[in-house]
Each structure stands twice: as C-alpha cells, then as structure tokens.
Amino acid sequence: MDSTSKVGLLALQCGKTLALEVYQSAAGFYLGTYAEDKECGLPAPFTRESQEYWRTAAKASAALQSGSWTQRRNL
C-alpha cells in the first residue's frame, strides 16, 4: 500500500474512510485525518492517528511513507 492509499484506522472505527495525511497543531506535525464539519461544511480535524508528533512536516511525511510511526488505539 502506498502513502496515497493509507486511511486512518480510528476514522474507520467511526465509519469514515479518510486519507491519512500530515497535519500541524500547536504540538507539532502529526498523522491524522480531516472530514467535512457538518455545521459549516468546511474541512476540520477528525482524528489524530499517530502517537508521535514531529518537529517538521518532512519528518512526519517520511514516517508516513516508511510506516515508522505508532498508530493510536483510542480517540
């Protein structure tokens, strides 16, 4: 499976098939999913899938591509 076809497992548990991508928060870069917010119709963070945070988007992307990250088990 290549990085473009990876989906968030926590999102799947919530009934959504969403692409796993790199996002940024105040804590750093993480792997997660976005979904449309029902109230405003705009994309919004849905799940943080990685336990880790990385200092750069490039490091998070490399972890996603290589599979060298830890999947969170709970929301």
Side-chain angles (χ1 to χ4, degrees), residues 9 26 38 61:
L9 296 181
K38 290 180 182 178
S61 182

Side-chain angles (χ1 to χ4, degrees), residues 6-68:
K6 292 183 179 175
V7 296
L9 296 181
L10 295 177
L12 279 175
Q13 291 176 7
C14 294
K16 294 188 180 274
T17 302
L18 301 170
L20 193 56
E21 299 183 57
V22 175
Y23 296 103
Q24 184 177 18
S25 72
F29 294 88
Y30 65 95
L31 305 181
T33 64
Y34 264 48
E36 185 175 301
D37 184 292
K38 290 180 182 178
E39 290 182 22
C40 65
L42 298 173
F46 190 68
T47 60
R48 178 170 65 89
E49 302 278 336
S50 63
Q51 286 186 10
E52 301 87 353
Y53 284 100
W54 294 269
R55 291 182 181 252
T56 67
K59 288 184 179 184
S61 182
L64 175 59
Q65 290 179 10
S66 68
S68 60

